[in-house]
């Protein structure tokens, strides 16, 4: 196969649950674990061509979904905005150390809590028991 499109790993994070188990597994092994097609074929008990076909079908599906939904692009932009707001909040808190405004400190703390809640509520990928 040609050079790996590392953006596929990002798409796998967003659209992986929509793939078949086999597609998700071989794409993960290929892109995230950096196994060769032959290694994946041996691991999965299928032919090298079967691995390639599963990867290609899974890639095509995820690329089509991203083209229609732009989910990975939107989430990436939102995470960048969250990081920027967090950085700006830390800068405000640092500047406030010399000004000592209780109001500024209170608002900066509220922003920090909201950002933390947002990240925990919407971007936490840990599995629920």
């Amino acid at each position: 196969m040609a050079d790996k499109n590392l953006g596929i790993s990002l798409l796998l994070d967003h659209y992986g649950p929509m793939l078949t188990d086999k597609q998700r597994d071989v794409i993960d092994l290929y892109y995230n674990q950096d196994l060769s097609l032959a290694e994946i074929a041996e691991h999965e008990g299928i032919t090298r061509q079967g691995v390639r076909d599963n990867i290609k079908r899974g890639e095509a599906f995820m690329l089509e979904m991203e083209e229609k939904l732009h989910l990975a692009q939107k989430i990436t932009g939102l995470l960048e905005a969250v990081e920027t707001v967090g950085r700006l909040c830390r800068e405000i808190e640092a500047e406030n150390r010399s000004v000592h405004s209780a109001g500024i400190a209170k608002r900066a703390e509220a922003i920090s809590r909201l950002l933390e809640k947002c990240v925990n509520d919407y971007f936490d990928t840990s599995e629920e028991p």
Side-chain angles (χ1 to χ4, degrees):
M1 287 178 50
D3 291 329
K4 290 183 180 180
N5 176 354
L6 298 181
I8 296 294
S9 289
L10 177 64
L11 296 180
L12 187 61
D13 291 341
H14 297 288
Y15 302 109
M18 299 170 76
L19 298 173
T20 67
D21 290 343
K22 184 67 76 177
Q23 287 171 341
R24 187 174 47 257
D25 291 346
V26 298
I27 289 171
D28 177 61
L29 291 169
Y30 185 69
Y31 285 100
N32 297 333
Q33 308 304 318
D34 203 29
L35 296 183
S36 70
L37 296 179
E39 290 170 321
I40 297 168
E42 183 178 329
H43 182 271
E44 294 293 313
I46 59 176
T47 66
R48 188 180 175 282
Q49 185 64 43
V51 171
R52 185 185 183 286
D53 290 346
N54 273 289
I55 290 172
K56 288 298 179 188
R57 279 193 300 271
E59 287 174 343
F61 176 80
M62 291 188 300
L63 289 167
E64 180 181 351
M65 289 295 98
E66 180 61 12
E67 186 177 313
K68 291 178 180 178
L69 302 174
H70 307 288
L71 181 60
Q73 179 185 348
K74 290 174 183 176
I75 295 294
T76 299
L78 185 55
L79 285 172
E80 289 171 2
V82 165
E83 286 180 24
T84 299
V85 171
R87 179 183 49 79
L88 292 170
C89 187
R90 289 187 298 278
E91 290 173 8
I92 290 168
E93 290 171 331
E95 271 186 54
N96 190 47
R97 288 188 193 108
S98 63
V99 176
H100 304 295
S101 168
I104 291 174
K106 183 178 175 181
R107 287 177 184 89
E109 185 179 321
I111 292 169
S112 291
R113 281 196 309 271
L114 280 171
L115 283 175
E116 184 176 340
K117 181 177 179 358
C118 177
V119 169
N120 290 339
D121 288 353
Y122 299 105
F123 300 108
D124 183 20
T125 58
S126 63
E127 296 286 323
E128 293 284 325

